[in-house]
Amino acid sequence: MSPPADIKGRKRESGAARVLGSGTSGIAELLVFHPVDTVAKRLMSNRTNVSFGNLNTIIFKSAAQSPIHQKFLSLFPGLGYAAGYKIAQRVYKFGGQPYFRDLIDKNGGDYFRNTFGKKWGGLMMHATAGSLTGMGEVVLLPLDVLKIKMQTNPDALRGRGFFRLLSEEGIGSLYKGWGWTIARNVPGSFALFGGSAVTKEYLFHLEDYSSATWGQNFVASITGAVASITVASPLDVVKTRIQNANFNSSEGGFAIIREMVKTEGVSAFFKGLTPKILVVGPKLVFSYTLAQSLIPFFGKYV
């Protein structure tokens, strides 16, 4: 069966194409960038000043004095949780955003176009659909929490599997920081999809964003990724510190913010921003470019 047409009559991809394209991008991202993600999470979780002298310990932790191959392997903690989270997240985020976009266009497209104009109305629908997708992403939070703990605080999980953790700690402990996650995801996803759409609209003058070439998707993804990481950085630092704490920790987000301002200064909210843009940015650009290119590709066949 051929893919359905959207409200404007343009061909849009089937659900199977969206799942296949976004899922493939998630698998590829995991294989290439999990060590990079571990480094970024450990830098964000560090509460001391980073210097050349302590960087080795911050990044490699207990493997800091080990041979180089053991150091490299130490950057792959929580790979099982990471696989479950990353693949599910990318399928939901990159495959789900077009559904939200279609839903908004169907029920409120005229409002957006009348309020913001034809071009900006379309851009705002893309960005708003991204925000809604980011908000719903909180459902996957338990896998993200476990991945982060394995990367930054493995002692909290040592000797305990997933179901034992559920019975001992309760499902609520795995949703710790859910409010801060939503607060980070909404503007971050808005900037990711909005920045990409602005680039395709004004730089490449595309009417149908799914017709973008691989190179156009790549450039648009860079814009969206840098905007997303920068906008979400302050809340991402708070979220990461909540999630990497021991399960019995009762320290909340506002307490973390007060302590950060008091002991580390306001610049702490952007701690690790440059490394995140340099290492997490390419990861997001990689997966988003791949998803945007693969979804239309699979759409030709399913």
Side-chain angles (χ1 to χ4, degrees):
M1 184 178 70
S2 61
D6 67 13
I7 292 171
K8 293 183 179 181
R10 292 179 308 207
K11 190 177 179 181
R12 63 179 174 85
E13 296 77 19
S14 66
R18 291 170 177 175
V19 170
L20 285 171
S22 54
T24 303
S25 77
I27 294 171
E29 178 190 344
L30 181 72
L31 294 175
V32 175
F33 286 102
H34 186 68
V36 171
D37 184 55
T38 298
V39 171
K41 288 294 187 296
R42 289 176 178 176
L43 286 171
M44 283 190 289
S45 301
N46 172 60
R47 301 195 181 202
T48 62
N49 291 326
V50 178
S51 66
F52 184 78
N54 65 4
L55 189 61
N56 183 51
T57 302
I58 292 171
I59 292 177
F60 297 107
K61 290 188 172 291
S62 60
Q65 305 305 320
S66 301
I68 187 65
H69 69 280
Q70 291 182 15
K71 284 185 176 182
F72 179 71
L73 292 176
S74 74
L75 299 178
F76 283 89
L79 190 58
Y81 293 128
Y85 171 70
K86 186 56 63 180
I87 295 171
Q89 184 212 33
R90 291 320 190 201
V91 168
Y92 169 74
K93 189 163 191 161
F94 297 151
Q97 188 267 352
Y99 280 109
F100 281 107
R101 171 63 174 78
D102 293 343
L103 187 64
I104 292 172
D105 199 355
K106 180 179 179 179
N107 295 282
D110 290 339
Y111 168 78
F112 276 88
R113 282 183 283 271
N114 291 335
T115 302
F116 301 102
K118 183 179 178 181
K119 281 190 176 182
W120 277 100
L123 294 174
M124 288 297 294
M125 281 190 280
H126 270 278
T128 303
S131 287
L132 292 175
T133 308
M135 189 180 299
E137 204 175 321
V138 72
V139 174
L140 303 173
L141 190 60
L143 290 173
D144 189 26
V145 170
L146 294 172
K147 175 181 75 73
I148 290 175
K149 288 188 188 299
M150 285 296 295
Q151 290 173 311
T152 62
N153 187 13
D155 290 337
L157 300 179
R158 199 174 304 280
R160 297 194 290 178
F162 180 74
F163 292 106
R164 183 178 173 185
L165 280 169
L166 282 182
S167 63
E168 292 180 355
E169 305 294 346
I171 187 66
S173 65
L174 297 180
Y175 278 96
K176 184 179 291 186
W178 67 268
W180 295 96
T181 300
I182 291 177
R184 180 205 67 167
N185 286 356
V186 168
S189 295
F190 185 95
L192 173 65
F193 291 100
S196 174
V198 166
T199 303
K200 290 180 178 180
E201 183 74 44
Y202 286 95
L203 182 61
F204 299 120
H205 308 290
L206 297 175
E207 292 187 6
D208 182 3
Y209 298 161
S210 66
S211 67
T213 65
W214 187 92
Q216 291 170 334
N217 280 326
F218 179 72
V219 174
S221 296
I222 291 175
T223 304
V226 172
S228 176
I229 292 170
T230 304
V231 167
S233 180
L235 291 171
D236 197 28
V237 173
V238 176
K239 165 191 168 290
T240 297
R241 293 192 181 191
I242 291 173
Q243 293 176 332
N244 70 14
N246 291 324
F247 282 106
N248 58 4
S249 173
S250 59
E251 188 177 29
F254 289 109
I256 289 174
I257 290 173
R258 286 194 297 269
E259 184 65 20
M260 286 173 63
V261 172
K262 179 181 177 181
T263 62
E264 301 173 64
V266 176
S267 62
F269 292 103
F270 293 92
K271 182 175 283 188
L273 178 59
T274 299
K276 272 192 287 184
I277 289 176
L278 293 177
V279 296
V280 179
K283 177 183 70 171
L284 185 54
V285 169
F286 175 84
S287 61
Y288 192 25
T289 300
L290 205 56
Q292 289 181 101
S293 300
L294 287 177
I295 290 174
F297 171 77
F298 284 117
K300 299 176 181 178
Y301 306 101
V302 296

